[in-house]
Amino acid sequence: MKQESRSFARSPNQLVSVLAWIWTIGILAAYTHGFADIIRLLWNWLIRIGT
Amino acid sequence: MTLLISLAAVSGMIMASIGFGLIALRAFGAEKFLHSALERAMSGFVLGIGILGWLLFFPGALGAFSPAVFWGAMAAGVAALFSRMSSLKGLAASRPLKPMDIALFSVLAVIAVFDLLEAIAPAADADTLAYHFALPRDFVANGEILFNARAVTGAIPLLVHMTYAAALATGGELSLNLWAAATGWAPGLLLYAVVRRHLSRTWSLVLLALFLTTPAILYGGGNGQIETRCAAFALCAVLFLLVSEREASYRVLALAGICAGFFIAAKYFGLIFAGATGLVVLCHRDGLKRGTVFGIAALVAGFQWYMWNYIHTGDPVFPLLTNMLQLPETAYWNSEFGKYFSETQAKSELPLDRSITNWLLYPIFSIFNVVEQLEGGRTGLGVVTLLILPAAVIGILRTSDGRRELLVPLIIAGVFFTIWFFSGTTQRTRHLLPVYPLVLATAFPAAIGWARQTRLLWPASAGLSAALIIQLTGHSLFTVNYARHVFSSETRWEFLERNVTGANAAKWINENFRENARIGFMGERQLAFLIEVPSFMIHPHIQTVIDARPSNGDEKRFVEQTRRQGLTHLLINEKWFNPRKTTPEIKLFPGLINRLLDQGCLVGIQKLDTNSFPSRTLSGFGGRIWRQKFLILKIDYPKCPVTS
């Protein structure tokens, strides 16, 4: 019984794991999108000083 | 020598604050209940900031605001610290650092260096220059607290500003900036100490780094903005509330009330926080007695500035009650202006209708910057709470022991947010910063605990690392402007002219006017701290002492009001004196200025071009910079129209 619970702890539920990754990546992508104008400004600045 | 005095002053203030706080912890019996020396040191520091500000009100009100008083208060606090050093025993004791801890300490060292660079450079934030630093400067210069009849930025609770006055009077501008930086770290360090009860050092350091790089902290932590300091008071109040429940101690509950009172005395929103916390205190089998203890303590700690406002205006929450209850009109406020003030505030500060839907969606609108006027992007609370939300909810639901301790901070934060949202006050996200640590102190340990149990630490770590990298990038961009000043030969005024709209006009005024001049500057609030001769802020929306509403076209009354304030000159933006004469504007304020110019009552003596920018940080990376014209005018009263 003890071994079973250990083995459960080592391998997370695959579905939960996939959902956790989707949540994390989705939220970060949406958050970063909120700074699109600043990212565009910085990108243009980098292009300008690089050329 | 000046540098040494500044460093001595800020060190003395930090030590004195910890000293006063430790004495209070001992006096209220909280010391023995706190988990570690770090918890005692940090809660002591936060308490001490409040105690110092509270004590300094009295010499300020009695006209004894002198450097000797500030140094004396500091010496008393330092003596208190030495008498209570035993409380901090074990503070330096530490277990060996893991490689990840070393990496996180390195990140924190970088954050500290960034904050130090900001502190070494002059303050450039508009609100800080307008009143957070300008009011204490005026109080110190006059040797007493002065009543200032401006709504929102003048007649407000000023407990933290008392400590700014002490820093400025003892160590000058550098000391003031360093004190702002030190108090800006206070909520983060207290949060670290609190979560160490539940989390490993590594995860606690992750949280500290995430908190210190939160956009709202970057925006307001290193300058005079009050929200960051209020966050420390709020977290301290909840810490003591939970300890008082656990240990069944009324004395510690009183300490929680005192911290809530310090928040009340630092910002009007403290009233909402104290109300939310008071509700939780009342929801207890011994609620009435506990509520009485909490309420009296909060009242004693928080009453000063409300009494001060009441004495001067009859309205303790100036101008809120005057507007709501239609109190009698005074020289400082009237119902017509109150209506105009409310409408103006609503236009600029309330982008969302106060509906249940918007209340529920507010976090989404803010975090993803959907409604830009909420300023949830560059000065918001970041993405961390949303990242950990599912794990935190499940973690809290699966906690059986001590669930109340997890829920109390969340309930207080939730009630605060709800009252704040529906009250009709500003909807800018940074004003929620005071309750942000309450959410983190509960949600973060719950989320990490559940992620660890279910072996989901990889997505949690990856998400939080990405959030930290994004925030650190923001912090780096923010610091470039200050580093450019510190690591170059740029003078203070060159920096200010590069970062503050109209700074060159303030410099010209300082160089050309003497003490017997008195400048009325229109609208450009950020010049209050920079103008070193006597001055008066003629703000169109928040004061009625000199009525400068755009709709005002009565030049006789305007001249009478400027005469009453003893103004000799005006500093005006071009937009106020260049109306298109064919439009109805001629009947409005720009027309008023033009008529006074035509009559010779106002005489232009200097015209200056100045830069103006929506963002200081982004202007260095190709962001928008506008040119504006300022005019300095002399008032020639004999040629002015007079009221018959």
Side-chain angles (χ1 to χ4, degrees):
Chain A
M1 186 66 194
K2 203 173 178 182
Q3 274 197 337
E4 269 176 22
S5 76
R6 260 193 211 157
S7 115
F8 174 74
R10 276 204 200 98
S11 50
N13 182 318
Q14 294 296 307
L15 178 64
V16 176
S17 180
V18 168
L19 288 174
W21 278 108
I22 290 173
W23 176 266
T24 303
I25 293 167
I27 294 289
L28 285 170
Y31 180 64
T32 314
H33 181 71
F35 292 101
D37 55 336
I38 296 176
I39 294 168
R40 207 173 300 121
L41 181 78
L42 292 172
W43 178 252
N44 289 336
W45 178 76
L46 281 171
I47 297 285
R48 212 168 35 249
I49 60 166
T51 53
Chain B
M1 188 61 186
T2 315
L3 176 67
L4 284 179
I5 292 172
S6 294
L7 292 177
V10 76
S11 307
M13 287 193 61
I14 294 169
M15 291 168 72
S17 296
I18 298 174
F20 285 133
L22 291 178
I23 291 285
L25 289 179
R26 174 78 172 174
F28 285 85
E31 195 183 64
K32 59 181 179 286
F33 299 135
L34 293 177
H35 184 250
S36 64
L38 184 64
E39 231 176 45
R40 287 191 287 278
M42 290 325 305
S43 58
F45 180 45
V46 174
L47 255 178
I49 295 169
I51 293 170
L52 188 61
W54 190 86
L55 289 173
L56 291 176
F57 170 81
F58 297 103
L62 296 170
F65 234 31
S66 68
V69 168
F70 296 129
W71 283 112
M74 218 185 286
V78 172
L81 174 63
F82 283 116
S83 74
R84 296 299 318 148
M85 281 302 272
S86 58
S87 304
L88 303 181
K89 207 173 162 187
L91 189 63
S94 181
R95 278 171 289 171
L97 296 172
K98 295 180 198 162
M100 186 52 80
D101 295 345
I102 295 171
L104 287 163
F105 272 119
S106 305
V107 169
L108 286 165
V110 170
I111 295 169
V113 169
F114 284 179
D115 288 350
L116 196 61
L117 290 173
E118 186 189 353
I120 294 170
D125 167 60
D127 284 345
T128 297
L129 295 173
Y131 62 109
H132 294 308
F133 285 0
L135 291 178
R137 191 271 314 265
D138 293 345
F139 297 164
V140 169
N142 285 282
E144 63 178 340
I145 301 167
L146 306 168
F147 178 74
N148 205 308
R150 281 197 314 265
V152 187
T153 66
I156 51 173
L158 294 168
L159 175 123
V160 174
H161 297 77
M162 295 294 95
T163 69
Y164 293 164
L168 185 65
T170 51
E173 194 176 351
L174 177 61
S175 174
L176 176 57
N177 288 345
L178 289 170
W179 174 244
T183 52
W185 273 59
L189 292 172
L190 182 60
L191 179 64
Y192 172 83
V194 169
V195 296
R196 279 293 279 125
R197 286 172 179 241
H198 312 289
L199 288 175
S200 67
R201 178 164 57 197
T202 308
W203 280 111
S204 304
L205 288 171
V206 169
L207 181 59
L208 176 58
L210 283 167
F211 182 77
L212 289 175
T213 53
T214 301
I217 297 277
L218 296 190
Y219 168 76
N223 54 44
Q225 297 279 355
I226 298 299
E227 293 85 22
T228 318
R229 288 85 205 163
C230 293
F233 292 140
L235 184 59
C236 211
V238 172
L239 169 69
F240 290 133
L241 175 64
L242 295 176
V243 170
S244 76
E245 289 193 356
R246 200 181 309 133
E247 308 295 343
S249 167
Y250 283 100
R251 288 162 72 200
V252 180
L253 180 63
L255 216 44
I258 287 171
C259 288
F262 288 155
F263 187 172
I264 292 174
K267 199 171 171 71
Y268 281 136
F269 291 158
L271 293 166
I272 302 177
F273 174 78
T277 313
L279 277 179
V280 172
V281 171
L282 285 169
C283 292
H284 200 273
R285 63 177 183 278
D286 200 12
L288 198 60
K289 191 172 170 189
R290 288 166 51 79
T292 308
V293 171
F294 179 85
I296 290 173
L299 191 69
V300 170
F303 81 97
Q304 292 167 332
W305 294 99
Y306 298 83
M307 187 189 72
W308 185 249
N309 279 350
Y310 179 75
I311 289 170
H312 289 89
T313 65
D315 181 352
V317 201
F318 180 84
L320 186 72
L321 296 184
T322 311
N323 289 345
M324 279 172 62
L325 308 177
Q326 297 185 332
L327 293 179
E329 299 190 349
T330 64
Y332 299 133
W333 207 257
N334 57 61
S335 54
E336 186 201 349
F337 193 86
K339 193 163 168 273
Y340 167 75
F341 168 76
S342 304
E343 287 167 2
T344 318
Q345 286 286 101
K347 259 187 229 162
S348 62
E349 304 288 328
L350 298 174
L352 297 176
D353 288 336
R354 285 172 276 159
S355 66
I356 299 284
T357 312
N358 285 339
W359 171 71
L360 286 170
L361 290 176
Y362 183 95
I364 304 294
F365 290 154
S366 170
I367 291 171
F368 298 126
N369 209 16
V370 179
V371 181
E372 284 190 16
Q373 296 97 312
L374 301 177
E375 299 181 351
R378 279 181 290 151
T379 63
L381 301 180
V383 73
V384 174
T385 39
L386 200 57
L387 269 180
I388 63 172
L389 181 70
V393 171
I394 300 169
I396 291 168
L397 290 175
R398 293 180 69 158
T399 304
S400 48
D401 293 338
R403 189 183 289 171
R404 182 178 159 84
E405 291 213 357
L406 288 176
L407 290 179
V408 161
L410 290 179
I411 291 169
I412 293 171
V415 174
F416 180 94
F417 168 62
T418 306
I419 299 175
W420 172 83
F421 182 81
F422 286 107
S423 67
T425 184
T426 173
Q427 287 175 347
R428 289 174 212 256
T429 304
R430 65 185 165 87
H431 293 285
L432 292 172
L433 182 63
V435 292
Y436 182 52
L438 306 186
V439 177
L440 287 180
T442 296
F444 197 81
I448 297 302
W450 183 74
R452 180 180 285 128
Q453 274 173 16
T454 49
R455 299 281 161 169
L456 284 172
L457 280 178
W458 267 111
S461 304
L464 293 172
S465 301
L468 183 57
I469 289 168
I470 292 170
Q471 293 187 177
L472 271 173
T473 305
H475 201 174
S476 307
L477 293 173
F478 181 73
T479 307
V480 166
N481 190 23
Y482 301 105
R484 194 175 145 192
H485 169 69
V486 174
F487 296 121
S488 71
S489 55
E490 188 178 60
T491 64
R492 176 177 183 266
W493 277 103
E494 283 167 350
F495 172 82
L496 291 169
E497 285 178 34
R498 192 162 59 75
N499 286 282
V500 181
T501 303
N504 56 341
K507 185 171 180 245
W508 191 91
I509 286 168
N510 294 341
E511 287 170 350
N512 291 280
F513 288 153
R514 296 178 187 283
E515 283 292 314
N516 55 2
R518 190 160 195 234
I519 317 300
F521 55 103
M522 290 278 305
E524 307 296 333
R525 68 195 200 286
Q526 70 280 0
L527 301 183
F529 188 69
L530 303 184
I531 295 176
E532 288 158 8
V533 296
S535 62
F536 182 90
M537 189 193 296
I538 310 176
H539 199 291
H541 308 318
I542 55 176
Q543 60 81 41
T544 184
V545 174
I546 296 179
D547 189 351
R549 279 176 286 172
S551 60
N552 178 27
D554 185 345
E555 62 259 41
K556 286 180 183 171
R557 190 157 65 100
F558 178 77
V559 168
E560 180 54 33
Q561 287 173 332
T562 54
R563 191 200 303 269
R564 212 176 297 148
Q565 292 305 314
L567 300 188
T568 58
H569 295 80
L570 296 178
L571 169 64
I572 294 189
N573 190 310
E574 180 186 42
K575 68 184 177 194
W576 293 111
F577 63 89
N578 194 20
R580 291 160 293 172
K581 292 196 175 186
T582 53
T583 69
E585 261 192 332
I586 199 68
K587 290 181 183 165
L588 306 177
F589 195 81
L592 176 157
I593 294 292
N594 257 30
R595 281 195 294 281
L596 293 178
L597 279 165
D598 292 345
Q599 291 164 20
C601 169
L602 296 179
V603 183
I605 56 172
Q606 185 68 19
K607 203 171 190 177
L608 296 141
D609 287 309
T610 186
N611 290 334
S612 161
F613 7 70
S615 164
R616 290 191 306 280
T617 301
L618 295 178
S619 67
F621 298 96
R624 282 174 295 170
I625 300 177
W626 297 308
R627 297 291 283 172
Q628 292 190 2
K629 282 193 189 337
F630 281 74
L631 190 66
I632 297 170
L633 305 161
K634 185 178 185 303
I635 309 175
D636 191 357
Y637 282 108
K639 292 184 179 165
C640 292
V642 288
T643 25
S644 48

